[in-house]
Amino acid sequence: GVGAMAGVREVEIDPEGTFKYILVRLQRPGGGEQRDIVRGTKAAEFHNHIFEKVNPEMEKLGYECKCLGGGKIDHNSKDKKIRVFGLSTGYGKADHSVTVEILKKVYTDYEITWSDDKK
């Protein structure tokens, strides 16, 4: 019901390493409530693998999903640093500045940066 969107975690990324990520917009059909979430994992060889996992999960909750783009995340949990960079060939480049803002809500004590670098 209402408030279910709050139950969707804004960020689900691997705890360590460098991996692909996507920025996904959730929306109630017919407009209204929307939310952007970040998903990334080393298990995904391609960006669409992440989307193909997220999409059915969110459809079950009654959301339409749209991938806003992708890139890579370098997560260094020891130094508490996250770097967002790169792009997705299929989905284009996510707005990394938006991704950083979302990550900051979860990793409050991290240094989080982004760039348009490919590596």
Side-chain angles (χ1 to χ4, degrees):
V2 178
M5 197 175 266
V8 175
R9 285 194 296 187
E10 281 181 296
V11 177
E12 283 182 20
I13 60 171
D14 285 1
E16 187 66 46
T18 303
F19 44 84
K20 291 183 166 66
Y21 94 89
I22 57 172
L23 185 61
V24 178
R25 175 156 293 165
L26 307 183
Q27 192 151 16
R28 286 280 185 218
E33 202 188 4
Q34 65 175 38
R35 186 170 197 203
D36 294 346
I37 62 171
V38 175
R39 294 290 183 269
T41 177
K42 267 185 282 219
E45 191 185 346
F46 299 105
H47 286 91
N48 62 303
H49 292 171
I50 309 173
F51 189 73
E52 281 160 16
K53 185 176 173 292
V54 169
N55 198 32
E57 287 173 10
M58 296 304 149
E59 282 183 341
K60 275 192 205 117
L61 297 173
Y63 300 111
E64 292 171 346
C65 285
K66 185 173 136 199
C67 184
L68 302 177
K72 283 186 172 173
I73 286 175
D74 180 21
H75 189 172
N76 181 337
S77 55
K78 187 172 69 73
D79 295 338
K80 296 196 169 182
K81 285 184 179 176
I82 294 177
R83 188 169 70 96
V84 184
F85 64 101
L87 52 82
S88 160
T89 314
Y91 295 121
K93 185 175 81 72
D95 185 339
H96 297 326
S97 64
V98 170
T99 302
V100 165
E101 289 311 308
I102 296 170
L103 290 169
K104 278 179 177 171
K105 292 180 194 177
V106 177
Y107 295 95
T108 50
D109 55 345
Y110 268 61
E111 182 190 319
I112 306 176
T113 57
W114 69 273
S115 76
D116 288 330
D117 297 346
K118 299 283 189 286
K119 291 186 180 342

